[in-house]
Amino acid sequence: MIRSHARGISAAVLALCAGCFAPPALLPPRAVDLARALNEYPAETEVVAIEVEPNVELRGLFVPSQANAPVVLHLLESSGSVATRWLHFAPVTRQLADLGYASLLVDYTGIGLSQGDSSVSNLQRDAHAMWDEALRRAGGDPQRVYLRATSLGTIAAALLLESGVRPAAMVWIAPVLPDSATSRFASAFHGRVLGWAAAAIYRDIADVDVVAALESAQIPGLVISPAHDVLLTNGERDAIAAALSPAARFRLRGGGHIQLAYEAHALLREEMRVFVPCCTPEALTQRVNGVLAALSLDASARFAEGSPERAQLARLCMLQRGEHAPLVAAAALAIPKPSIAARLLWLLARNPYRELDFAELCAVLSLDDPAGDLPIDLIERASSLADAASKLGLLRRKFTASQIAFAGIEDGEHADDVDMTSSVETGGENFELHVGGRELFDALLDRGLSMEDAERQFIRVLLKAQRIPDRLTAARRIEVKENDEWRTLEMDRAKMPVEPKSYHMDIENFGNSAESQRNSTQPLD
């Protein structure tokens, strides 16, 4: 009887408080360390402070590019911070700077570097303060400001559009809706009961009709949504797509909501349609001359004035500032398509090859293969987790060339031996990210490759993802450089000097402290 009475009181309280509370949609980021994070951003990055009320400042970073560059305003996800030690935004800001765009990133009130108490009630105010700062840095011209919003940031973007803000273009990544994101997150990651409770207790994240704001604004650009999103129904996704301007595109991408938000810390390949290179002639001349001046005499001689090689270098420098001159020059010689070369160089900026001379770099960077160029999208996918883990010191041992070959030969029978998984902590929750060897092998077969060609390309894709230098001989044999020596990779399992065991790369939780890191690659029994 007492329990029944208590349940009745609880139900009454819930009924009275239905929609009373601001939802906890802004989550604390892990391991905020501005000094350490700044080491990852370009050297010219500035710390930004915007006063939104007395004694309350929003703080973030401004990453410049060329003189008078367009400004990209990044509206971050709920636990995003410019200064997290392990999941900052340096990769995407470096890429945009290479393309000629400056970046403004500011933490929401009470999150990361910013002062005050975190609450979604501040979302509209924060978004407008950030927009005003971006507009100021763009010389007051809204057509020189771009919006790039992820997850919760798309609600902030919708608030700006509803108020009449009209940027040059926008990119929305993993959009959510203000009336359902909180309850669906609770339901998906904590169970239906808590999802129901969240729907009953919390009000909407913001008072904005996202679809109506998109229909009214008609901004050119791109919306990228995960194919399987627990925070957005198919019907809602279709409504967002239908509301877009004819000059905007809607794209689906594999993976779930958390994985897409994680991947958005680097520029997604689809975004190259929006952020087209805008390097000025003056900046381009400076970039090309800077690369040539940093090369050896023998290397620079390959780029004579008026030569096709010099023109190819200039095309690549439209997409690269040339901070690592030998890599840029080698890529210009090795990869005919500048956009592909730039994507490979962006991967190498996060985790480079070690101690290769210029001739070796030209051979190693080549994606040329008898069955067609190695697919850069698969190299990116295979690199994603290991690169991040290696950069953070969470990965102490990588796959060897022999282990990769063992997984790829004999019709890819053991492709799943090179699986990579990681538990990523964000906002107090753990989410598993996964890149499977079998899915990579099958993706090559889906491209119409023969089994022999799929085996070779699978091995070469994994070698490049693990930064093991490889080159292809005229006889289609793969040579690798390990322990400072080049050798032909054995492709006959019976002739392998030591049969590798099956390995599974289990990368330590990205949110863990350095003190708790352990050996993250263990042989399977």
Side-chain angles (χ1 to χ4, degrees):
M1 181 70 178
I2 293 176
R3 287 185 180 178
S4 176
H5 183 62
R7 283 197 297 267
I9 293 175
S10 298
V13 171
L14 281 176
L16 289 172
C17 293
C20 289
F21 300 105
L26 284 166
L27 304 174
R30 185 77 177 265
V32 174
D33 186 334
L34 177 59
R36 193 171 223 171
L38 279 174
N39 289 332
E40 303 294 335
Y41 290 88
E44 61 272 24
T45 299
E46 307 170 22
V47 178
V48 171
I50 307 169
E51 187 174 72
V52 289
E53 61 181 81
N55 301 316
V56 176
E57 287 183 340
L58 304 183
R59 294 173 180 169
L61 301 175
F62 179 73
V63 183
S65 179
Q66 59 189 334
N68 301 315
V71 177
V72 180
L73 172 59
H74 300 253
L75 297 171
L76 309 183
E77 67 267 30
S78 72
S79 61
S81 171
V82 301
T84 52
R85 182 172 60 83
W86 62 279
L87 199 55
H88 47 68
F89 296 86
V92 67
T93 60
R94 284 183 176 276
Q95 291 168 303
L96 286 168
D98 282 344
L99 296 174
Y101 297 83
S103 286
L104 176 67
L105 314 91
V106 182
D107 291 349
Y108 299 114
T109 299
I111 296 296
L113 301 179
S114 291
Q115 298 173 328
D117 298 323
S118 65
S119 172
V120 294
S121 300
N122 298 318
L123 195 60
Q124 184 168 25
R125 181 198 68 183
D126 289 357
H128 278 279
M130 296 172 192
W131 169 262
D132 289 344
E133 178 66 12
L135 190 62
R136 183 184 72 81
R137 290 178 177 270
D141 183 359
Q143 288 303 296
R144 295 185 58 242
V145 181
Y146 292 69
L147 286 182
R148 185 180 191 266
T150 302
S151 191
L152 180 79
T154 63
I155 298 177
L159 287 166
L160 289 176
L161 297 184
E162 184 186 56
S163 71
V165 164
R166 296 294 181 263
M170 66 178 192
V171 173
W172 284 19
I173 301 167
V176 293
L177 300 180
D179 59 342
S180 59
T182 303
S183 59
R184 288 181 185 160
F185 184 93
S187 180
F189 299 109
H190 297 287
R192 291 183 180 179
V193 173
L194 283 179
W196 170 83
I201 295 172
Y202 297 120
R203 64 175 182 262
D204 294 350
I205 291 174
D207 183 16
V208 60
D209 185 328
V210 171
V211 172
L214 287 169
E215 286 178 333
S216 175
Q218 293 293 284
I219 303 297
L222 176 67
V223 174
I224 307 171
S225 182
H228 307 288
D229 195 342
V230 295
L231 304 187
L232 201 68
T233 68
N234 290 343
E236 291 165 343
R237 190 175 65 196
D238 292 344
I240 289 174
L244 295 177
S245 159
R249 295 290 180 266
F250 188 92
R251 293 288 182 266
L252 287 178
R253 191 177 175 94
H257 187 93
I258 300 299
Q259 181 147 354
L260 181 53
Y262 160 74
E263 291 173 350
H265 285 245
L267 201 66
L268 304 176
R269 64 181 181 273
E270 296 91 340
E271 295 182 79
M272 295 287 283
R273 293 180 176 273
V274 177
F275 300 115
V276 296
C278 61
C279 183
T280 64
E282 296 79 12
L284 179 58
T285 298
Q286 185 177 11
R287 290 181 180 192
V288 172
N289 291 341
V291 168
L292 294 174
L295 297 178
S296 68
L297 290 177
D298 287 343
S300 63
R302 301 186 65 175
F303 299 94
E305 186 76 41
S307 67
E309 291 80 8
R310 181 69 163 261
Q312 180 72 356
L313 176 62
R315 285 191 289 270
L316 181 54
C317 284
M318 286 287 293
L319 304 131
Q320 289 282 310
R321 287 174 297 167
E323 292 178 295
H324 305 284
L327 275 174
V328 174
L333 295 173
I335 305 173
K337 197 168 184 179
S339 61
I340 302 299
R343 287 167 66 181
L344 184 59
L345 290 174
W346 286 331
L347 286 179
L348 295 179
R350 302 177 71 175
N351 185 16
Y353 288 107
R354 297 181 180 180
E355 298 178 0
L356 295 175
D357 62 34
F358 189 73
E360 288 176 321
L361 277 176
C362 291
V364 167
L365 294 185
S366 175
L367 303 180
D368 187 45
D369 186 87
D373 290 349
L374 299 180
I376 186 64
D377 55 327
L378 293 190
I379 297 173
E380 289 170 334
R381 192 189 310 175
S383 300
S384 58
L385 298 186
D387 283 358
S390 179
K391 184 72 175 177
L392 296 167
L394 302 177
L395 182 62
R396 299 184 182 180
R397 182 168 51 169
K398 299 181 181 181
F399 299 128
T400 66
S402 293
Q403 289 162 4
I404 292 171
F406 183 86
I409 60 178
E410 297 189 5
D411 300 346
E413 178 183 354
H414 295 278
D416 54 4
D417 287 352
V418 288
D419 278 9
M420 291 160 278
T421 55
S422 175
S423 174
V424 175
E425 191 278 338
T426 178
E429 305 296 333
N430 282 304
F431 306 94
E432 185 174 279
L433 305 181
H434 177 256
V435 177
R438 171 51 56 188
E439 70 173 277
L440 295 174
F441 198 95
D442 289 345
L444 290 167
L445 292 177
D446 290 343
R447 292 169 182 259
L449 297 185
S450 69
M451 191 62 70
E452 179 185 358
D453 289 336
E455 289 176 358
R456 183 184 60 255
Q457 288 208 1
F458 173 83
I459 292 168
R460 294 189 66 200
V461 163
L462 264 294
L463 289 171
K464 292 189 183 300
Q466 292 292 299
R467 307 299 190 270
I468 299 173
D470 79 286
R471 61 192 183 192
L472 202 61
T473 70
R476 299 190 181 186
R477 301 283 288 176
I478 300 172
E479 292 183 337
V480 296
K481 187 176 185 180
E482 290 184 308
N483 301 318
D484 297 324
E485 296 288 339
W486 285 97
R487 66 179 176 88
T488 299
L489 189 61
E490 181 58 65
M491 300 287 282
D492 185 339
R493 188 173 300 172
K495 296 179 181 179
M496 286 183 173
V498 177
E499 181 176 304
K501 295 181 180 179
S502 299
Y503 275 76
H504 176 87
M505 187 182 295
D506 186 13
I507 301 166
E508 183 68 15
N509 185 317
F510 284 3
N512 281 2
S513 65
E515 292 75 19
S516 68
Q517 293 162 12
R518 65 173 182 269
N519 192 337
S520 57
T521 307
Q522 299 292 343
L524 296 179
D525 295 328

